[in-house]
């Protein structure tokens, strides 16, 4: 496995575009930390995000993993390009000639995306601890590590999404088309949900019971938006006569199981396509 991973990392290191995207990704993740100390001024009112309680434990685990998951598209481009370049530059055929089996080739890609997910998760974990201990009003150990479920969900979500990107890279063979297909797939799921809600299901809850099995939707459900969970949001909503919405923000085992299924499916299909394809 170490040999397979070193081969892939060497390819990535020699690709300038990939290096720029990876560096950009981690720089943008670091900007989340910088936002904590920046003073904002809106209609003459000065405030810092850190002073609003956004970086309080345990809420910060939810907020940071959700924000970080938005930026995963940068690594997605790297993964899609990584696969597309195998066809463009003929390195895939050369690897097979040199004795690498198609199974080992796919395994090398899976190891690479897993490494991306692991490093990103460790980065978010460390950054969240630093931010939390720097700005949180609550630093008791029992509170600090309450919501670590979001770190686990973040790791699983990244592997699933990157496996999806790998599958598209193998199937489509062109990075631009593969990235476009990710967008089309997302839009397609939303359109299907809209049609089901209009013609099949009478309630949103009934629709969600089915939509949770869609690939992109299942990944999204692992870490739901944290904005409505934030106490300040609820306070404002109550002050204007509304009522804070009741929403399930927890990470459930069946949601993880669905995402793991899609992860295995995309990896398997990547291998099947490559195995049958005449290179």
């Amino acid at each position: 496995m170490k040999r397979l991973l070193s081969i892939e990392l060497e390819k990535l290191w020699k690709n300038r575009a990939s290096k720029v995207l990876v560096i950009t990704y981690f720089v943008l993740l670091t900007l989340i930390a910088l936002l904590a100390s920046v003073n904002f001024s809106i209609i003459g009112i000065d405030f810092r995000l850190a002073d609003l309680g956004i970086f309080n434990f345990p809420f910060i685990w939810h907020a940071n993993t959700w924000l970080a998951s938005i930026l995963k598209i940068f690594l997605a481009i790297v993964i899609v390009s990584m696969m597309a370049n195998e066809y463009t530059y003929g390195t895939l055929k050369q690897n097979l000639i040199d004795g690498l089996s198609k199974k080992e080739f796919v395994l090398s890609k899976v190891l690479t995306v897993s490494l991306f997910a692991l490093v990103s998760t460790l980065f978010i974990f460390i950054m969240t601890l630093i931010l939390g201990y720097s700005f949180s009003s609550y630093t008791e150990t029992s509170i600090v590590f309450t919501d670590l479920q979001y770190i686990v969900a973040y790791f699983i979500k990244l592997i699933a999404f990157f496996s999806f990107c790998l599958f598209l890279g193998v199937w489509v063979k062109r990075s631009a088309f593969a990235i476009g297909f990710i967008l089309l797939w997302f839009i397609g799921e939303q359109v299907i949900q809209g049609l089901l809600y209009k013609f099949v299901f009478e309630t949103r809850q009934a629709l969600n019971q089915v939509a949770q099995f869609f690939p992109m939707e299942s990944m999204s459900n692992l870490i739901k938006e944290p904005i409505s969970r934030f106490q300040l949001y609820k306070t404002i909503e109550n002050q204007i006569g509304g009522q804070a919405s009741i929403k399930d923000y927890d990470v459930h085992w069946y949601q993880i199981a669905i995402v793991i299924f899609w992860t295995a499916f995309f990896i398997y299909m990547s291998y099947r396509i490559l195995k049958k394809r005449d290179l």
Side-chain angles (χ1 to χ4, degrees), residues 19 29 95 128-129 138 148 164 207 234-235 253 262 278:
K19 286 192 292 185
L29 287 182
N95 285 155
T128 300
L129 282 179
Y138 316 102
L148 282 183
F164 176 54
L207 171 63
K234 295 181 180 180
T235 302
W253 69 266
W262 283 115
D278 185 10

Side-chain angles (χ1 to χ4, degrees), residues 246-262:
I246 299 175
K247 187 174 181 179
D248 183 7
Y249 300 97
D250 290 336
V251 180
H252 299 284
W253 69 266
Y254 59 85
Q255 294 173 325
I256 293 177
I258 294 171
V259 174
I260 290 177
F261 165 79
W262 283 115

Side-chain angles (χ1 to χ4, degrees), residues 173-212:
K173 299 196 296 185
R174 293 292 184 271
S175 57
F177 290 130
I179 293 297
F181 201 90
I182 293 174
L183 179 60
L184 287 177
W185 191 302
F186 173 78
I187 295 174
E189 285 194 10
Q190 299 306 308
V191 170
I192 292 173
Q193 288 187 53
L195 293 174
L196 289 175
Y197 185 60
K198 183 175 180 63
F199 298 107
V200 180
F201 300 105
E202 296 181 357
T203 64
R204 176 64 63 175
Q205 183 177 6
L207 171 63
N208 290 340
Q209 293 298 314
V210 173
Q212 67 176 336

Side-chain angles (χ1 to χ4, degrees), residues 21-274:
L21 286 170
V22 170
I23 293 172
T24 301
Y25 171 76
F26 285 103
V27 168
L28 289 175
L29 287 182
T30 307
L31 289 180
I32 297 176
L34 296 179
L35 286 175
S37 56
V38 173
N39 287 315
F40 294 91
S41 181
I42 300 178
I43 60 174
I45 301 177
D46 295 328
F47 67 93
R48 288 193 317 164
L49 292 178
D51 297 332
L52 300 178
I54 294 178
F55 296 100
N56 277 344
F57 286 120
F59 177 77
I60 188 173
W61 295 110
H62 189 179
N64 275 8
T65 50
W66 181 75
L67 285 172
S69 64
I70 297 175
L71 302 175
K72 66 183 180 294
I73 189 62
F74 286 93
L75 288 184
I77 296 174
V78 173
I79 292 168
V80 169
S81 300
M82 174 181 70
M83 194 60 236
N85 289 340
E86 297 285 357
Y87 294 102
T88 303
Y89 300 113
T91 50
L92 169 55
K93 185 178 293 186
Q94 186 60 50
N95 285 155
L96 297 178
I97 293 174
D98 292 339
L100 201 68
S101 68
K102 291 183 178 180
K103 184 177 181 180
E104 287 178 319
F105 179 82
V106 173
L107 178 59
S108 68
K109 299 299 182 184
V110 173
L111 289 173
T112 303
V113 300
S114 299
L115 179 63
F116 279 158
L118 179 60
V119 172
S120 180
T121 302
L122 289 175
F123 187 88
I124 288 297
F125 177 77
I126 294 172
M127 187 181 71
T128 300
L129 282 179
I130 294 173
L131 280 174
Y133 277 113
S134 299
F135 299 106
S136 177
S137 302
Y138 316 102
T139 55
E140 294 83 356
T141 302
S142 59
I143 296 177
V144 169
F145 298 104
T146 297
D147 276 355
L148 282 183
Q149 57 179 328
Y150 292 106
I151 288 292
V152 176
Y154 177 70
F155 176 70
I156 295 173
K157 181 176 183 176
L158 286 188
I159 289 185
F161 184 69
F162 294 160
S163 298
F164 176 54
C165 294
L166 176 62
F167 161 70
L168 292 179
V170 172
W171 183 31
V172 180
K173 299 196 296 185
R174 293 292 184 271
S175 57
F177 290 130
I179 293 297
F181 201 90
I182 293 174
L183 179 60
L184 287 177
W185 191 302
F186 173 78
I187 295 174
E189 285 194 10
Q190 299 306 308
V191 170
I192 292 173
Q193 288 187 53
L195 293 174
L196 289 175
Y197 185 60
K198 183 175 180 63
F199 298 107
V200 180
F201 300 105
E202 296 181 357
T203 64
R204 176 64 63 175
Q205 183 177 6
L207 171 63
N208 290 340
Q209 293 298 314
V210 173
Q212 67 176 336
F213 293 99
F214 294 179
M216 297 288 279
E217 186 69 18
S218 65
M219 297 176 202
S220 177
N221 285 340
L222 281 183
I223 305 177
K224 302 177 182 69
E225 58 81 21
I227 300 173
S228 56
R229 183 187 178 191
F230 186 44
Q231 189 61 46
L232 178 62
Y233 175 89
K234 295 181 180 180
T235 302
I236 294 175
E237 192 173 35
N238 288 331
Q239 287 177 348
I240 62 176
Q243 184 177 2
S245 58
I246 299 175
K247 187 174 181 179
D248 183 7
Y249 300 97
D250 290 336
V251 180
H252 299 284
W253 69 266
Y254 59 85
Q255 294 173 325
I256 293 177
I258 294 171
V259 174
I260 290 177
F261 165 79
W262 283 115
T263 302
F265 174 79
F266 289 132
I267 293 174
Y268 174 74
M269 289 305 298
S270 298
Y271 171 66
R272 289 289 296 176
I273 292 172
L274 195 62

